[in-house]
Amino acid sequence: MRLYKHYTYEGGISTPCIVHWPGGGVPAGGLRHEPAHLVDVMPTFLAAAGGSYPTEIRGQKALQLAGSSLLPLYKGASFERGPIFFEHESNRAVRIGRWKLVGLGSSGPWELYDMEADRAESEDLAAAEPERVRTMAAAWEEWARRDKAIPWPWQPQWGEAGQG
C-alpha cells in the first residue's frame, strides 16, 4: 500500500476491524470487504444499544453524528455506505463507492483512484475524470466546513508554541 500513517492513502488508513459478539446476532467467521471508518463506531454502538445521539450538549447544538451504523453489515444484511471523509494533519480524502479522491497536504492537487481496480493507488485518474474530481472535491469541502476540518493550514489559537 502507498505511504504510511499520517497520510490518507491506503497505507495510512487501511486497517482490519475484528468484531466478536456472542449472542449479538453476528455470525462467527464472517469476512466483509466493505470500507468503514472510525466514525462508524459510535453509530454502530448506538444502534446495537438502541440508543440515540443527542441533539444538544450542555446547551449547545451538537454536531451532526458522523458515520454509519455497521450493524446491518455485521449481521449479513444489505449495507448502503455513504461517503467516507478523511482529514488528518491537512491530508485529505473522500471515498464514494469504488472511487477515492486523495489530496496530499492542504494544497496538493486532488488525485483520483478506482479502488476496485487499483487498491494500491498507483494510477491517478484525475485527468481522465475531471467532473468526478470536481463533484467529489465539492463533497469533501462541504463536509470539511460542516465538521470543522478546515481551514488549513492550521494557525495556533493560543499564541506561539509554549505560550498560552
Side-chain angles (χ1 to χ4, degrees):
M1 299 294 171
R2 190 167 177 194
L3 291 177
Y4 47 87
K5 297 296 177 196
H6 167 78
Y7 297 101
T8 54
Y9 293 101
E10 290 300 289
I13 64 170
S14 186
T15 305
C17 175
I18 300 169
V19 175
H20 178 69
W21 190 5
V26 176
L31 182 62
R32 311 290 186 271
H33 296 281
E34 288 81 0
H37 190 286
L38 181 63
V39 297
D40 297 327
V41 172
M42 174 68 93
T44 302
F45 286 176
L46 286 171
S52 62
Y53 186 74
T55 57
E56 190 176 284
I57 300 171
R58 293 187 202 118
Q60 302 262 336
K61 183 180 176 193
L63 290 176
Q64 179 179 335
L65 179 63
S68 301
S69 170
L70 302 174
L71 206 52
L73 176 66
Y74 294 155
K75 293 186 174 193
S78 64
F79 176 70
E80 293 295 322
R81 166 91 254 174
I84 304 174
F85 298 100
F86 303 87
E87 186 286 324
H88 182 67
E89 296 182 6
S90 81
N91 296 298
R92 59 211 195 282
V94 56
R95 170 95 186 247
I96 301 175
R98 70 186 297 151
W99 298 99
K100 184 175 172 194
L101 192 67
V102 181
L104 187 58
S106 61
S107 60
W110 286 110
E111 302 167 20
L112 180 67
Y113 299 99
D114 178 343
M115 299 306 292
E116 289 181 15
D118 179 23
R119 182 125 188 265
E121 298 164 310
S122 59
E123 184 181 350
D124 181 3
L125 301 172
E129 296 269 355
E131 187 56 36
R132 187 179 308 277
V133 170
R134 277 191 289 280
T135 301
M136 291 178 74
W140 183 89
E141 187 165 333
E142 180 182 328
W143 163 82
R145 290 189 187 287
R146 183 190 69 230
D147 283 14
K148 303 181 184 351
I150 54 176
W152 276 98
W154 177 74
Q155 296 294 318
Q157 297 180 14
W158 306 105
E160 297 300 318
Q163 299 177 1

